[in-house]
Amino acid sequence: MEQLKILEIINRWGYLNAYQIALLLNKDIETVKTHLRFIKQKQLVLINQVTRKNIYYLSNLGKRYLGKEKNKSKLNLNQLAHQDLMIKWLSKQKDIASYENELELKSWNSKQDRYPDLMIEYENGTKTWVEIERTRKSKERIEDKLDNMREHIKDNHKVIWVVPDVKMAKFIQEQINHYNWHKEVHEIEIFNI
């Protein structure tokens, strides 16, 4: 049962290391590593060691086991730090009923251009769009993100901007103020682990 949960969480995110799996499942890291060894022996997962961290992703056999289509799994090394921060932030949250990450949102609606990093729903029914901003983007890119949030804001969704420091929080706040549309639904959270 635990091994199936691990396979499903890897499928959900595309690729994960053991620590991230432990955080997402709220399990002890050693227990997760033990399950991963068994899953690896069954050839349901493959390991990429480019970053000197074991990055697990589903093998074609693992995808068939879950009833998924075979396709080439792409490990985007540039996204590892971003995904790591997102998972750490998510694991610290309380009262979350469900969430969907960008990979899942793309699979449901491939016609849309932009997706949030996370779409979460709290136990009280509040839906929230989460944007993780680790580095400063151009003002045009932030405005583009704000444009893409319009429909969700009209549907009474909240927006949380997760940033690493006060300087970035100030920049995002300036962009929200400049955009000047439903400023009250935006929340900026400094999170850096």
Side-chain angles (χ1 to χ4, degrees), residues 67-79:
K68 305 295 177 188
E69 290 181 24
K70 283 196 274 183
N71 57 2
K72 180 92 171 134
S73 296
K74 294 180 184 176
L75 178 64
N76 186 345
L77 297 176
N78 297 329
Q79 287 293 332

Side-chain angles (χ1 to χ4, degrees), residues 49-65:
Q49 296 174 321
V50 169
T51 62
R52 295 189 202 154
K53 294 181 181 178
N54 288 343
I55 307 295
Y56 296 90
Y57 59 99
L58 293 181
S59 67
N60 284 334
L61 183 62
K63 289 174 187 171
R64 277 197 311 265
Y65 183 79

